[in-house]
Amino acid sequence: MNLNRWKEYDDIITDSLWIFDKRDSSGVHKADYWGNFIPQIPNQLLRRYTKKGEWVLDPFLGSGTTLIECKRLGRNGLGIELNKQVAKATSERVVKEKNNFDVQTEVISGDSGAINIQSLLKKIKVSSFQFLIMHPPYWDIIKFSNNRSDLSNAKSTRDFLGMFRKVADNTFPFLDKGRYCVVVIGDKYSSGEWIPLGFYVMQEMMNKGFKLKSTIIKNFDQTTAKRNQKELWRYRALAGGFYIFKHEYIFLFQK
Ligand SMILES: C[S@@+](CC[C@H](N)C(=O)[O-])C[C@H]1O[C@@H](n2cnc3c(N)ncnc32)[C@H](O)[C@@H]1O
C-alpha cells in the first residue's frame, strides 16, 4: 500500500469486526473444500501486509485459497498441505488461475511440523518469507485425514497445541523480522464446555515472542447441515445454556 494515496483504498477494512455476507467465488475459487476460508480473508491481508513480488507461506494450504489470491495480487506463494490427494487437486486448481503478474506458486505435500523449510526455500531460490498465514484445523471439528500428523487428529487440547507449536517452530524462523503473521481459527464446544482454542493459540504465539497487533472477529457461516437444523440447534442452545458459534478469529501478529 502506498500511504500517500491512502484515501484510494476505501475497500481495505480497518475495523476489527469483519462481516461478509457472501464468499468471493470468482475465477477458480470454489467453496467445495469443507473447511476452507473465504478468499476475502487472504485478499484483505495480502494487500495490506505484503507488496507485489514478495513471498507468502501458508503451511495449512487446503484447497489453495491463499495461493489463488497470491496469483491475483502478484505475490509469490508457497503452500504446504499434509493430505496428498488434496495437495494434488489444489495444485491442479491453482495452476488454472491466470498468472498476470508472472509470480511463482508452489504446492508442496508434507507435514508442516516436520518438513525441511530451508530446502524448500533453496528450491525457490529465496531465503525467507514476508508473510505467514495459518489456518489450522479447529482441532477435530472437521477431520481432514487419518494421518497422525494432522492437527485434526490431536487427542486433547494439549496435544493440539503441541502440534500447532511444532508447525510454528518449524516455520517462524523463516519469516522476516518486523513482518506479519496471521492465524485464522475458531473455538470448539465439547462435553458441555466452550473450549477457547483461539485464545490458547493466541497465547502460544505471544509466548513465541510475537506482538499481538489485532484480534479480528469474523462472522462464520453455518454449515448447510446446521442451517437445516436451525430450530434443533436453537433448542439445544437454550437447553444447554450456550450460544451457537457465529464467529471465528483472525489474530494478527508482528514478528
Ligand atoms: C482449515 S484447513 C485450511 C483451508 C484453507 N485455508 C483453504 O482455504 O482451503 C486446514 C488444512 O490443514 C491441513 N493439515 C492438517 N495438519 C497438517 C500438517 N501437520 N501439515 C500440513 N497440513 C496440515 C489439513 O489437511 C487441511 O487441509
Side-chain angles (χ1 to χ4, degrees):
M1 283 179 70
N2 176 356
L3 282 182
N4 294 325
R5 294 165 50 187
W6 66 276
K7 288 199 171 162
E8 292 170 26
Y9 304 109
D10 53 357
D11 64 329
I12 290 274
I13 308 171
T14 46
D15 294 335
S16 66
L17 179 62
W18 290 13
I19 308 221
F20 294 103
D21 53 6
K22 60 175 186 322
R23 61 181 302 128
D24 171 11
S25 54
S26 59
V28 299
H29 282 308
K30 264 194 191 163
D32 58 351
Y33 189 59
W34 200 26
N36 64 4
F37 53 30
I38 62 168
Q40 288 96 324
I41 294 180
N43 180 285
Q44 283 284 328
L45 298 165
L46 293 174
R47 284 163 63 206
R48 190 149 175 209
Y49 298 105
T50 62
K51 296 191 183 79
K52 284 200 175 79
E54 290 191 328
W55 272 93
V56 174
L57 172 64
D58 182 340
F60 299 102
L61 185 66
S63 61
T65 316
T66 302
L67 290 191
I68 296 166
E69 283 305 311
C70 278
K71 270 183 123 173
R72 290 179 163 194
L73 297 167
R75 276 66 169 168
N76 299 291
L78 187 141
I80 307 167
E81 167 55 47
L82 187 67
N83 187 321
K84 273 204 182 97
Q85 287 95 331
V86 173
K88 186 171 177 285
T90 296
S91 179
E92 287 162 5
R93 178 183 306 210
V94 172
V95 103
K96 288 191 192 127
E97 183 65 42
K98 280 199 209 103
N99 192 6
N100 291 337
F101 297 99
D102 198 23
V103 290
Q104 242 175 294
T105 36
E106 301 283 337
V107 177
I108 307 290
S109 173
D111 172 7
S112 290
I115 200 163
N116 186 334
I117 305 274
Q118 187 84 62
S119 70
L120 295 181
L121 282 167
K122 215 167 154 194
K123 206 175 123 200
I124 55 177
K125 299 192 177 68
V126 290
S127 54
S128 57
F129 297 99
Q130 286 71 51
F131 189 67
L132 180 52
I133 181 161
M134 306 214 275
H135 185 209
Y138 305 174
W139 186 0
D140 56 356
I141 288 188
I142 297 175
K143 198 169 150 60
F144 288 99
S145 69
N146 291 320
N147 193 314
R148 280 176 53 207
S149 306
D150 185 331
L151 272 71
S152 67
N153 290 321
K155 307 256 179 309
S156 59
T157 311
R158 203 187 148 95
D159 191 25
F160 174 81
L161 293 174
M163 289 166 89
F164 177 81
R165 217 175 294 128
K166 265 180 82 182
V167 176
D169 288 340
N170 200 31
T171 53
F172 290 173
F174 304 99
L175 176 69
D176 284 342
K177 195 158 179 350
R179 300 309 295 261
Y180 288 79
C181 169
V182 151
V183 183
V184 181
I185 189 158
D187 292 330
K188 166 181 156 79
Y189 197 78
S190 170
S191 310
E193 206 175 332
W194 187 294
I195 302 173
L197 275 190
F199 292 97
Y200 289 149
V201 164
M202 177 189 80
Q203 193 58 55
E204 288 291 336
M205 297 289 290
M206 288 162 79
N207 292 348
K208 301 248 164 260
F210 276 86
K211 192 198 285 179
L212 179 65
K213 293 285 288 184
S214 283
T215 295
I216 298 160
I217 306 292
K218 182 198 149 281
N219 68 321
F220 185 85
D221 238 359
Q222 280 170 332
T223 58
T224 321
K226 258 198 183 165
R227 258 198 310 270
N228 292 341
Q229 297 180 323
K230 214 171 162 190
E231 286 304 304
L232 176 63
W233 275 98
R234 190 169 149 69
Y235 176 77
R236 280 184 184 157
L238 287 169
F242 64 90
Y243 289 88
I244 300 163
F245 289 117
K246 288 290 282 182
H247 72 280
E248 56 195 343
Y249 309 100
I250 301 171
F251 292 111
L252 176 73
F253 304 93
Q254 191 176 24
K255 183 169 170 181

